[in-house]
Amino acid sequence: MSKKENLTSSEKRDSFTSKTGFILACIGSAVGLGNIWLFPYRVGQFGGAAFLIPYIIFIVLLGYTGLMGEFAFGRMSQTGPIGSFKMALETKDKKWGGFLGIIPVFGAFGIAVGYAVVVGWFIRFLVGFITGSAISSADSGAYFGQIAGPFGSTVWHLIALVAVTIVLTSGVSKGIEKMNKIMMPAFYVLFVVLVVKVLTLDGAVDGLKYMVFPEWSSLLSPKTWIYALGQAFFSLSLAGSGMIVYGSYLKRDVDIISSAKNTVIFDTLGAFLAGLIIIPAVFAFGLDPAAGPPLLFITIPSVFKLMPFGRLFGIIFFVSVLFASITSLMNLLEVPIEAVQSTFKLSRKLSVAIVVIAAFLIGLFVENGDVLGSWMDFVSIYIIPLGAFIAAVMFFWVIGIEKAKSEIECGSEKKLGKLFEISAKYVFVFLTIFVLIAGILLGGIG
Ligand code: PHE
């Protein structure tokens, strides 16, 4: 066997080819359903523009601590959560770190299962707008009801997973990086087009007021702060999984501090643009903004039915939300794929096949809209913050804050101060536990 053939895929680790590619992939992970179907609703629920204050405080704080931590942890270990936690605990002569790593892998896989179903719905709606069926149906609720019934979207769900499989089997640089470089800029351009269109509709001003008028008194309610924290947390994909895995494909000369900063800025921008489209559009036609699936799949299609050139704008809308969600799905699936690939030393193709087939089979049972809601709640309330908590403890405490700090600084001209140490080691770790407990008590905050 030649030397080249000797290098199996597990030995040759794929990587992002540029800082921009890495940042776009991280933005692709961060901008997803959290930004589109939750953020606009939360803004309305908790005091309009006033909500942005705690949201921005938390997203900056989380970006400065947890997000940089996950990137650097992955880059240091050159592997996902299983290998990273194992490496961390081995420095203390403990061998069971790998088992703990299974928790965030299941968290990412669990969210991926539900996401794949929703991406299938987006494809279904995109096709529905292209053919006109989504616009000619008399009752948008009934139209969606059919799709979100038990086994109601199997074909679309399958199409979503086949599309992602093609990207993921091509690897990190040729698949994930390339697609994010196309889809994320396109997402922003299309969203800006939609904002311009929506804000010129009669009556959009009321919605705009709802989005930007601050109701300061809501800042006195602890719930505003708790939900802003949960929103920022989920939106940055802090789960001890996806961002560690993307970090593991990062070269040592890439500036993690500025990458985290860009991810925070563009994630917030994505959420804000979504709010500027959805809320004014819904108000312009006298509809009620809802949260979750009904907003995107019943209310918004009703808006496009009433809008001039609604079919065209419906197509633009569903292309952009499809891009936003499919790039998150890639990140979520990459976590179990990397885990299977490096734990069992399997080829990339086989690992992708195992994970995608499992996601599809389990996903068949969550195609029903109600089951999907409970499934996503369970994973995002219990497993996601737990994964983020364990990752933070492993990196900031077990590996140690000094080492963590120098790992983050590697590749950057900036140095982190004492404030970072306190924020990461105490504040961030406390917030992960807080998100877990508040989520359980309030039935989900992110
Ligand atoms: N941040 C994504 C969103 O807002 C969801 C996500 C969570 C993605 C955790 C990856 C990991 O929809």
Side-chain angles (χ1 to χ4, degrees), residues 125-157:
F125 270 78
L126 176 59
V127 173
F129 272 92
I130 294 172
T131 61
S133 73
I135 223 148
S136 58
S137 76
D139 179 348
S140 293
Y143 186 82
F144 179 54
Q146 261 182 359
I147 296 168
F151 303 105
S153 53
T154 307
V155 175
W156 306 99
H157 175 196

Side-chain angles (χ1 to χ4, degrees), residues 50-266:
F51 181 76
L52 294 177
I53 294 172
Y55 178 78
I56 290 173
I57 292 175
F58 284 126
I59 204 148
V60 170
L61 178 63
L62 299 177
Y64 178 63
T65 53
L67 186 61
M68 293 197 309
E70 291 200 8
F71 289 162
F73 197 8
R75 185 173 66 177
M76 180 184 183
S77 67
Q78 289 288 294
T79 173
I82 296 184
S84 301
F85 296 3
K86 188 161 174 266
M87 178 198 79
L89 280 182
E90 272 172 2
T91 62
K92 302 275 180 260
D93 286 331
K94 304 226 166 21
K95 300 251 169 285
W96 41 270
F99 289 103
L100 279 182
I102 296 173
I103 297 171
V105 172
F106 270 107
F109 179 74
I111 297 284
V113 166
Y115 243 84
V117 171
V118 179
V119 171
W121 291 347
F122 284 143
I123 300 176
R124 173 72 189 86
F125 270 78
L126 176 59
V127 173
F129 272 92
I130 294 172
T131 61
S133 73
I135 223 148
S136 58
S137 76
D139 179 348
S140 293
Y143 186 82
F144 179 54
Q146 261 182 359
I147 296 168
F151 303 105
S153 53
T154 307
V155 175
W156 306 99
H157 175 196
L158 187 63
I159 295 174
L161 280 169
V162 169
V164 192
T165 302
I166 297 171
V167 179
L168 292 173
T169 39
S170 313
V172 177
S173 52
K174 295 204 184 78
I176 296 175
E177 180 171 351
K178 221 181 205 165
M179 287 322 285
N180 274 288
K181 273 184 164 164
I182 301 169
M183 287 182 174
M184 290 320 290
F187 163 80
Y188 286 99
V189 171
L190 295 177
F191 252 37
V192 169
V193 170
L194 288 167
V195 170
V196 172
K197 166 69 187 171
V198 165
L199 292 183
T200 54
L201 291 170
D202 279 345
V205 173
D206 288 334
L208 191 61
K209 275 192 200 142
Y210 182 87
M211 265 293 293
V212 299
F213 177 76
E215 213 183 281
W216 298 117
S217 62
S218 68
L219 290 180
L220 297 174
S221 157
K223 274 200 173 166
T224 305
W225 292 81
I226 296 172
Y227 280 88
L229 169 64
Q231 178 70 37
F233 202 90
F234 186 76
S235 200
L236 277 185
S237 306
L238 292 175
S241 55
M243 295 309 200
I244 292 188
V245 167
Y246 274 1
S248 77
Y249 299 124
L250 198 54
K251 294 189 182 129
R252 296 199 67 76
D253 60 352
V254 175
D255 185 339
I256 283 185
I257 303 177
S258 99
S259 302
K261 190 167 89 188
N262 279 296
T263 308
V264 165
I265 293 172
F266 282 95

